[in-house]
Every structure is written in structure tokens, then in C-alpha cells.
Amino acid sequence: MHAQQVSSSPFSVGGDFVSSYLWRGTRFGTGPAIQPYVELSLGNFSAGGWGSYCFTTNEAAEADLYLSYGFDFGLRIGVTDYYFPGSDYFDYSAESGNHAFEVNLGYEIKGLSLSANYFLNEAGGAGTAGGDLYFEAAYGFDSFCFVLGAGNGWHTMEVTAGESDFNICNIGVTASSEIQVTDSFSLPLSGALILNPDTEQFHVVIGNSF
């Protein structure tokens, strides 16, 4: 998930610069974003925070907390708390609450990864009614990865109608490379081509991890 680990400490810190913030086929914000993280890893257990902040505006700011446990046979289970800065952090009510809690299941075997995600609660401020689903399958080939994702609720919401259907919302191809800057330093880059059939939008994104 993260490109860089710091010494032998159980804590790791880092981040990404991305040309646009794309999440599960949907673009958030209007410009480039910086996405920092801080993570504690103890054995198979990990906990941390991840954020996204656009350079140009305060929109699409996000600060999430997560817990997860990975089993040795490839299964990972976790929970994520999605929060959007600018709203009241201590409002957990259904009517206007600003925290959306999601259960995450993931399984990896060789080049294949599968995930299933389910929102537990209604949170009016965060824009979820609860029960939102998202499923994703990805397969890594030698030089690229193919991603297919589908969901409802947050992922395919018709804002004006207030309705959503379960639909494919994320078809992507991702790849990575390095630009050799000096003999001892290279710049790692990642890129993605992402089609969202539900919103009928196509995106091209690059990013740099640090």
C-alpha cells in the first residue's frame, strides 16, 4: 500500500503526490493532491491514518483512520473511519454525523486480489445512508495491473435523484516506472487509466510516492 518504510520502527510515514484524487472510479476535488499517511504495524496488525488534501482548494479534504489484521493465508479484515475535515469531528449522529464506518475484507493469492466493503452506519454529514457496498477484483500481470470494481450508495449515487443502483464504477489499468535522476537517485512514478461506466467519465492519473 505504501511505498516507503522508515527504519525498523513499528511506525511508518510517507505519502503520495497525485495529479488528481481518484477513489473507486470517482474523482474528488479539482486539482492535484497530497496524500500523507502514518501507520503502526505490529505483526499482522496495522493501524493508522490516511489523508488527502488538494493543493488548490479545501474541497475533497479527507482524514481517515483504519485498523486491520492480516492472516498468513492472505485474508485481511479491517474497519475504516472516513472523515472529511471542515465538518464537526465529534458529530456521530445519523442525521448530520460526519463519520462513515466501513468494514473491509480483502484476500490476496499470487497476482489476484479481491475485496468486499460495507458501510455500517447512516451519517448525513458524510453523505451515506449505510449499507453501501463496493466489490473489487484486481490482477497483476508482469508490467501492469487490471482493476474492476462495482458498488452502490456512495459509489453510484445520483445526487439530484438521491438514488443509486448497483453498477460497475471502476475499470482501471495501473502501471509503475522509475525516472533515473542521478546515478544514485530515481523517481518512482505510478499511473492509472480509469473508466467509470456509471458516471461515463474517463481519467488519467499519475502519482509519486515518497
Side-chain angles (χ1 to χ4, degrees):
M1 179 177 178
H2 305 310
Q4 185 176 357
Q5 302 293 318
V6 178
S7 70
S8 60
S9 167
F11 289 94
S12 59
V13 298
D16 296 278
F17 289 112
V18 292
S19 58
S20 297
Y21 174 22
L22 267 291
W23 183 72
R24 297 178 181 175
T26 298
R27 182 188 183 195
F28 295 88
T30 56
I34 183 171
Q35 299 177 331
Y37 74 86
V38 178
E39 183 174 281
L40 169 66
S41 297
L42 296 172
N44 292 349
F45 171 80
S46 63
W50 179 92
S52 184
Y53 302 87
C54 288
F55 287 102
T56 52
T57 70
N58 290 328
E59 65 177 334
E62 183 172 335
D64 308 331
L65 295 174
Y66 59 88
L67 297 169
S68 71
Y69 185 88
F71 296 89
D72 294 337
F73 59 91
L75 178 67
R76 178 169 291 276
I77 182 170
V79 61
T80 302
D81 169 17
Y82 295 91
Y83 166 72
F84 305 99
S87 56
D88 182 358
Y89 190 81
F90 298 101
D91 188 346
Y92 289 87
S93 67
E95 295 78 12
S96 59
N98 299 308
H99 293 264
F101 294 96
E102 185 186 59
V103 173
N104 318 115
L105 285 176
Y107 180 70
E108 294 185 5
I109 181 170
K110 297 184 178 178
L112 176 66
S113 65
L114 304 170
S115 69
N117 307 273
Y118 177 78
F119 279 93
L120 297 170
N121 65 311
E122 178 181 359
T128 176
D132 315 49
L133 291 166
Y134 180 76
F135 300 94
E136 186 174 285
Y139 188 83
F141 297 89
D142 290 341
S143 56
F144 70 95
C145 180
F146 177 76
V147 179
L148 178 64
N152 62 7
W154 257 15
H155 312 92
T156 60
M157 181 64 68
E158 288 285 346
V159 177
T160 54
E163 299 175 348
S164 72
D165 295 321
F166 190 89
N167 202 358
I168 294 174
C169 57
N170 185 16
I171 301 174
V173 174
T174 66
S176 61
S177 65
E178 291 189 355
I179 296 177
Q180 196 71 36
V181 180
T182 67
D183 291 341
S184 59
F185 176 74
S186 60
L187 184 66
L189 292 176
S190 61
L193 308 176
I194 299 171
L195 173 67
N196 186 331
D198 183 69
T199 59
E200 301 178 348
Q201 297 294 302
F202 176 72
H203 302 281
V204 180
V205 185
I206 62 168
N208 166 238
S209 299
F210 57 93

